[in-house]
Amino acid sequence: MKLYPKNFSTAVHNCNLSGISLSRYFLDIEIVLNETTEDEILRQMEKNLSVMEKAAAKGIAGVTSFSGLTGGDAKRLAAFRATGSPFGDSLYLEAMIQSLAVNEVNAAMGVICATPTAGSSGVLPGALLTMRDKLNLDRRAQLNFLITAGGTGALIGNQASISGAEGGCQAEVGSASAMTAAALVEAAGGSPSQSAHALAIALKNLLGLSCDPVASLVEVPCIKRNAVGVVNAIAAAEMALAGIESRIPVDEVIQAMGSIGRMMPMALRETALGGLAQTPTACRMTAMLQQEGHIPWPFPAAGRNED
Amino acid sequence: MAVFRSVFDIIGPVMVGPSSSHTAGAVRIGLAARSIFGEQPEEVDITLFGSFGHTYRGHGTDLALIGGLLGRSTDSEEIRHAHELAEKEGLKVNIKVSDRNVDHPNTAHVLMYSGDRSMSMTACSVGGGMINITQVDGFNVRVSFDNPTVLIFYRDRTGMIARVTRILADHTINVSSMQVSRKELGSTALMTIATDGVIPAAVMDEIRSIKELGPIISLSELMREPDHAANDVPGE
């Protein structure tokens, strides 16, 4: 069976040998492994990109979640930015608005593109939609951004996990932030090796993050974590572009994330049985949602399995 | 653990929120059930287990399953109105929650009827919108969609498996995994064949020409392109 590259250092090594970018490398693998063509891959990626654009626009206009628990924060932050933040304007602010917007649309059962999951779907579009103008990325370069993020995300998934039920939020927002950082570096003209450092730095910053959503809904704290995920991605990319290196090699960082996930108690892996989900306020919110018929009683049930 | 082989396993699927496992995965379970039944059933009994049972309303898991059964893809905004849609399109839906312990926390059992036909399927959603099918019409199966998969029903008798695999070998199609199950000697049996690469239509026709075979269900298009999946339902 034809296999995906084993780890990130293999990918960097092969890119350096052939003098190609990570996006070219992952594109070539995609063509061979999945018996497809470059045009077909780009066509499908274009579809995904336009979904991200529509979701961001919809979220900035303002949405309310399915449960009624969340929504409107992207709009709020955009209004705040428009009146002038006391800290001055920044691309970080712009990226947070886009990330919140996409993830609020997700909570509202709107159409999004999972990157890598629905719960972390705001991180990558937040970075891409903000930085594409700044970096003068043409459409093809934007699609390359998605291919690099997808390829590096797969390296995380194969060595660790991208599932909150398996590895906590570090596996979802952590992975989203890390693969976004790697793609940002390439888009800004950095090397494959700098992408690897960016991914390692971004992932290290979010190691240990638990998945403890209130009432098991993909809303609190998920939505705001998407904003933090994008800020972390940009910060890691800037550090890597400056030549700052991760002291721990990228694949060891990814494997550490997987190992932390396996040590994480079930209560902190998407079960709503621990952490924020079991705070007095979260329990009150859960009871309220039950009364309104949004979730069936009893919840969360004792002895429930993960995810 | 899931194995990722494509950038689209990470960038995608395009889906309605809020959860890739509880919403997108559930749509795909509904689509798989519809494909296996061969048409839209008149009535369906859905049983939800584990986390599906506990959180289905908050995640719209019921809406997603019904949407899939109605042939809607993971990105259809109609899914949020799936109950109304089912009424309009003539699908009677019964949903219940079971406390019974199951292997995977996100498991759904779907029993479909039309006239005097009925068929069941059990599947679980394993993360990122990916699903596994564990039971079809009483046969235990393990369809994980890592590779294109076909289900072939046949009368249990000597040489049937060889006749099918011979055709695949003649066309140099490699079988990556294969499973055979039957309820009793000489009764209906089920072959589950996963291949490296999709089996071309001409080869599928050659397999179909074997007289003793029953229904053949191709599940190869179900995972990556949701809109293709809806078109892949035989008899449409």
Side-chain angles (χ1 to χ4, degrees):
Chain A
M1 198 164 102
K2 292 170 270 183
L3 291 174
Y4 220 74
K6 203 167 130 248
N7 52 36
F8 209 133
S9 48
T10 309
V12 170
H13 179 74
N14 290 340
C15 284
N16 290 343
L17 272 185
S18 326
I20 55 173
S21 62
L22 282 167
S23 57
R24 184 69 249 172
Y25 176 70
F26 287 119
L27 195 55
D28 289 341
I29 291 172
E30 187 78 18
I31 293 166
V32 174
L33 214 54
N34 295 302
E35 293 167 28
T36 179
T37 62
E38 185 161 333
D39 284 349
E40 176 56 28
I41 295 166
L42 295 176
R43 187 196 64 77
Q44 201 179 334
M45 246 349 154
E46 171 58 42
K47 218 169 79 182
N48 291 347
L49 177 54
S50 66
V51 167
M52 295 175 201
E53 288 167 333
K54 284 191 200 113
K58 194 170 160 189
I60 290 169
V63 289
T64 305
S65 76
F66 202 52
S67 69
L69 212 56
T70 55
D73 285 346
K75 196 176 173 181
R76 215 162 275 128
L77 197 58
F80 171 78
R81 186 188 185 206
T83 59
S85 164
F87 309 123
D89 197 23
S90 72
L91 288 172
Y92 284 89
L93 200 44
E94 165 77 24
M96 283 197 285
I97 293 167
Q98 305 271 9
S99 289
L100 288 176
V102 172
N103 216 244
E104 285 183 333
V105 167
N106 179 62
M109 279 193 94
V111 179
I112 55 95
C113 178
T115 54
T117 61
S120 60
S121 58
V123 175
L124 182 145
L128 178 55
L129 302 183
T130 301
M131 294 305 176
R132 62 182 180 183
D133 293 334
K134 197 74 194 164
L135 296 169
N136 290 318
L137 302 182
D138 61 17
R139 204 66 184 173
R140 176 59 198 264
Q142 294 172 42
L143 300 181
N144 284 348
F145 185 103
L146 297 179
I147 290 164
T148 300
T152 53
L155 297 178
I156 298 175
N158 287 339
Q159 293 188 84
S161 171
I162 58 156
S163 151
E166 271 174 21
C169 192
Q170 56 161 7
E172 295 209 22
V173 169
S175 299
S177 185
M179 67 195 212
T180 300
L184 274 172
V185 166
E186 179 178 311
S191 68
S193 163
Q194 286 176 319
S195 281
H197 285 294
L199 185 142
I201 293 166
L203 191 56
K204 281 194 298 184
N205 293 346
L206 296 175
L207 284 183
L209 199 60
S210 59
C211 178
D212 46 1
V214 173
S216 205
L217 298 171
V218 194
E219 300 191 38
V220 180
C222 322
I223 294 173
K224 294 186 192 80
R225 277 190 191 162
N226 275 261
V228 167
V230 75
V231 167
N232 180 56
I234 301 168
E238 287 192 311
M239 282 192 256
L241 286 164
I244 297 175
E245 299 193 336
S246 170
R247 293 285 186 265
I248 309 294
V250 60
D251 293 307
E252 291 182 35
V253 173
I254 295 172
Q255 286 154 19
M257 187 270 272
S259 142
I260 292 168
R262 287 188 293 277
M263 289 179 211
M264 216 178 248
M266 194 259 282
L268 300 180
R269 287 185 282 118
E270 213 177 331
T271 54
L273 294 172
L276 277 176
Q278 288 295 323
T279 55
T281 302
C283 292
R284 276 197 301 275
M285 284 169 156
T286 306
M288 194 186 77
L289 289 169
Q290 281 161 344
Q291 277 165 16
E292 291 170 4
H294 287 291
I295 31 181
W297 193 271
F299 178 87
R304 227 185 94 197
N305 257 319
E306 63 187 50
D307 194 1
Chain B
M1 199 169 76
V3 178
F4 300 92
R5 291 166 46 88
S6 166
V7 289
F8 296 106
D9 290 343
I10 300 293
I11 309 297
V14 170
M15 54 171 280
V16 292
S19 163
S20 45
S21 56
H22 287 65
T23 320
V27 174
R28 281 170 166 171
I29 290 173
L31 278 169
R34 180 187 169 98
S35 282
I36 282 170
F37 197 60
E39 61 182 347
Q40 183 174 306
E42 288 166 4
E43 185 167 352
V44 58
D45 296 341
I46 298 173
T47 310
L48 301 170
F49 299 90
S51 174
F52 266 11
H54 289 297
T55 68
Y56 76 92
R57 272 184 223 175
H59 285 130
T61 307
D62 52 337
L63 306 176
L65 285 163
I66 298 166
L69 282 159
L70 293 170
R72 299 309 193 274
S73 56
T74 55
D75 62 347
S76 167
E77 289 198 83
E78 290 178 294
I79 283 171
R80 57 188 311 162
H81 310 294
H83 284 293
E84 293 87 330
L85 215 58
E87 209 174 306
K88 211 167 73 189
E89 297 181 9
L91 172 66
K92 188 170 183 301
V93 181
N94 314 300
I95 293 184
K96 61 178 185 187
V97 172
S98 168
D99 287 337
R100 193 158 62 80
N101 269 335
V102 285
D103 288 344
H104 195 278
N106 294 333
T107 298
H109 178 266
V110 184
L111 178 57
M112 297 163 279
Y113 318 82
S114 269
D116 54 0
R117 274 187 75 207
S118 76
M119 212 167 177
S120 72
M121 186 195 86
T122 308
C124 48
S125 176
V126 296
M130 308 227 242
I131 65 166
N132 287 346
I133 299 176
T134 56
Q135 179 268 129
V136 174
D137 214 19
F139 295 100
N140 290 322
V141 296
R142 188 141 296 274
V143 181
S144 66
F145 297 96
D146 289 339
N147 292 88
T149 304
V150 286
L151 305 179
I152 302 175
F153 290 93
Y154 65 104
R155 172 72 68 85
D156 178 35
R157 60 160 73 172
T158 313
M160 293 302 292
I161 298 163
R163 288 174 69 182
V164 173
T165 52
R166 168 68 51 82
I167 294 173
L168 294 174
D170 285 347
H171 294 275
T172 61
I173 293 163
N174 193 38
V175 174
S176 60
S177 76
M178 180 163 179
Q179 195 188 5
V180 179
S181 44
R182 65 178 185 197
K183 287 169 185 164
E184 56 192 271
L185 184 69
S187 71
T188 307
L190 176 65
M191 260 183 257
T192 309
I193 303 177
T195 51
D196 292 332
V198 179
I199 301 175
V203 180
M204 284 300 289
D205 286 343
E206 203 175 319
I207 294 173
R208 277 199 190 90
S209 70
I210 301 174
K211 283 205 180 60
E212 293 86 344
L213 294 185
I216 300 178
I217 301 158
S218 172
L219 297 172
S220 55
E221 290 298 321
L222 213 53
M223 292 318 288
R224 222 149 263 158
E225 285 271 348
D227 32 309
H228 288 182
N231 298 333
D232 202 37
V233 177
E236 269 200 347

